[in-house]
Every structure is written in structure tokens, then in C-alpha cells.
Amino acid sequence: LERRNEELQRINQVSRMLTELMRPEQLVRLVSYLVHLTFGYPSVSILLREGDDLVVRAVAGLADEESRMGRRLRIGQGIAGYAAQQQEPLCVANVRADPRFVQTISSDDTRSQLAVPIVTAREVFGVLNVESGAIGAFGPSDIRLLDTLAGQLGVAFENAQLFETEQRRARQLGQVNSLSLAVTAQLDISANLRVAAAAV
């Protein structure tokens, strides 16, 4: 009970940070480090969906984090790809004994892996993936914890996308306003056409 209470407090801390509006790339890096540091998972990666692929966009807990960035995995391929395809968490106690395992995103010493899809009502955004060098490192409590975090991350992604869309609209409205001011400041039709053409 005490352990579960601590876990819930940590989830609340992470949740508070997820409510801040930020760009998606900032969000995934922050979350990967928070999950690694707050919950002690040895290796954490977040893969985001791009078409039919999952692309590594954040890594925490590995010495060669930057070299893993941008690695691609087809949806349906590997443990993470299978979790995304099925839209269900997938916990594998010994990846070396699982035919779905591929080395694409994992380190050489990975023995167990837990992949949790980041899903909202509308789509699969990606996968929250944790790995360990120990066999059987993850259990039902890890699945519950990461599933909760992945759900919150999905909502945060939707908010980040809405925020980006609104910022883009605000920039466009600002440009339209500037054009209106420039056009109304002149009474010369040909000059106004040049200003409008340049703005477009």
C-alpha cells in the first residue's frame, strides 16, 4: 500500500509537468527523462508514429542516447511495433526467446522489454518503451503505471498539437492584419495589388 501511494504521488508529479504547454519534441524528451529518473527504469525510449513507422524521438538511461535518435521501426515489427499495432501493452520477460523481438531500437544487453502504446480516442501517437538487462524485470504494476502515463502523454500530445495549431493560426491572423493595414494605408490600386501579391 505504501509503495502504491508513493507511485501515485510520482504519477501526480509527472502529470503536473505534462499539463504545461510545450512543443511535442520537448514533451517527449521531458517525459523520457522523468520516467527514467522518477521511476528508475534502466532504459526509456519514446517512439512517435510517422505514417507506418515508429521513430525514436527520445531516449533516457543509455550511454549512446543520441545514436538511437531517429531509428525507425515498422508498426507491427518488434515488441514496440507489435504493441502499437495491437494498441495494447506488451510485456516480454525474455526478448531473446520471443520471435517478435528485433534489435533495431534495443541495446545489446536488453533481456526484458515493456512497450505501451500512446493512444487517444483518435489515433496511436506512438509507444512508451522501457527495457532492462534483467530477465523478467517488469510485471503487472509496471504495466499499470506505464499505461497510466501513456494515457496522460496521449492527452498531452493532443494539447501540444492544438497549441501548435493555434500558434500557427495566430501568426496567420497577424499576417492578414498586417496586410490589411498596408492595403488601407494606400489609395493606389496598383500599389495595393503589389503589396497583396508580395504578402501571398
Side-chain angles (χ1 to χ4, degrees):
L1 214 62
E2 202 171 293
R3 183 171 174 247
R4 182 69 178 144
N5 184 38
E6 256 181 58
E7 206 171 75
L8 288 172
Q9 287 176 350
R10 290 179 184 167
I11 289 172
N12 285 336
Q13 287 172 337
V14 172
S15 296
R16 277 193 296 267
M17 292 192 178
L18 291 180
T19 60
E20 291 186 29
L21 292 174
M22 59 183 78
R23 294 191 318 269
E25 61 272 8
Q26 292 173 313
L27 184 62
V28 294
R29 285 183 182 247
L30 174 66
V31 170
S32 64
Y33 282 103
L34 284 174
V35 170
H36 169 64
L37 295 172
T38 306
F39 299 102
Y41 289 108
S43 166
V44 178
S45 56
I46 296 178
L47 298 86
L48 297 183
R49 184 177 188 159
E50 290 182 12
D52 291 333
D53 289 346
L54 293 171
V55 181
V56 177
R57 292 296 176 210
V59 180
L62 294 174
D64 60 343
E65 291 173 1
E66 287 304 313
S67 71
R68 296 181 187 284
M69 297 294 283
R71 289 189 185 180
R72 300 180 91 81
L73 184 68
R74 299 288 291 176
I75 290 180
Q77 177 190 18
I79 306 298
Y82 188 81
Q85 184 180 50
Q86 299 300 311
Q87 296 186 15
E88 292 288 332
L90 179 57
C91 185
V92 179
N94 183 0
V95 295
R96 306 300 172 168
D98 194 301
R100 296 169 291 195
F101 177 73
V102 291
Q103 190 73 40
T104 309
I105 61 166
S106 301
S107 64
D108 293 336
D109 67 341
T110 296
R111 291 297 175 264
S112 58
Q113 184 175 352
L114 170 56
V116 179
I118 303 166
V119 182
T120 65
R122 293 186 296 176
E123 63 183 305
V124 174
F125 277 101
V127 174
L128 175 56
N129 185 68
V130 295
E131 299 174 15
S132 173
I135 292 175
F138 312 115
S141 64
D142 298 297
I143 295 170
R144 280 191 307 276
L145 170 67
L146 293 179
D147 198 32
T148 300
L149 290 172
Q152 292 173 347
L153 186 54
V155 171
F157 273 130
E158 282 187 327
N159 290 342
Q161 285 180 336
L162 286 172
F163 182 62
E164 270 189 357
T165 301
E166 290 307 313
Q167 281 187 319
R168 187 170 49 253
R169 283 185 188 155
R171 282 192 303 273
Q172 289 170 340
L173 287 173
Q175 291 168 342
V176 168
N177 187 41
S178 296
L179 175 61
S180 296
L181 292 172
V183 167
T184 57
Q186 298 185 35
L187 298 174
D188 183 2
I189 293 173
S190 59
N192 283 342
L193 290 175
R194 281 193 299 276
V195 168
V200 170

